[in-house]
Amino acid sequence: MNDCIFCKIIAGEIPSKKAYEDDTVLAFYDLSPQAPVHILVIPKAHITSAADITGDNSAVVAHIFEVIASLTKQLGLNDGFRVVTNIGDSAGQSVKHLHYHLLGGRDFTWPPG
Ligand code: DGP
């Protein structure tokens, strides 16, 4: 996607601080962290949001959660962490490329705002 910020980060056209990368998944630190640990985990294939996950593209989502589990162990988030994905404007999705926010290093309230 030509105008997608996250596709540009994947392509290396916009710099990012990487936490993990393989052939299908990239994890990088959020520019505007909302917790001591705030990493975005994204598929390299452009999927607009979790509302666009189908049987044809869902394998990468399972892999994303494997990456998240591995990252949290590496980062020592043993007391807990939160994974959030915003879908659409009313949920506050500002970048229309599927991404999972991995947040940790502090306590979180429930329900979220
Ligand atoms: P959301 O609001 O759920 O669509 O989250 C998008 C997140 O992406 C937001 O927390 C800020 C982050 N973000 C936006 N642009 C960039 C960027 O160029 N680099 C990095 N590292 N993060 C970005």
Side-chain angles (χ1 to χ4, degrees), residues 5-6 9 14-17 28-32 34 38 40 85-86 91-96 99 101:
I5 293 171
F6 288 177
I9 287 175
I14 296 175
S16 67
K17 183 181 170 193
F28 57 100
Y29 285 84
D30 196 291
L31 204 58
S32 176
Q34 302 302 311
H38 188 170
L40 301 171
T85 188
N86 296 319
Q93 185 186 7
S94 59
V95 180
K96 302 300 193 287
H99 52 282
H101 296 260

Side-chain angles (χ1 to χ4, degrees), residues 65-105:
F65 277 88
E66 291 173 27
V67 169
I68 287 170
S70 173
L71 280 171
T72 58
K73 288 179 182 68
Q74 281 176 41
L75 294 164
L77 300 179
N78 303 315
D79 291 337
F81 56 88
R82 183 165 285 177
V83 178
V84 176
T85 188
N86 296 319
I87 300 149
D89 293 334
S90 68
Q93 185 186 7
S94 59
V95 180
K96 302 300 193 287
H97 182 128
L98 176 64
H99 52 282
Y100 292 87
H101 296 260
L102 166 57
L103 300 144

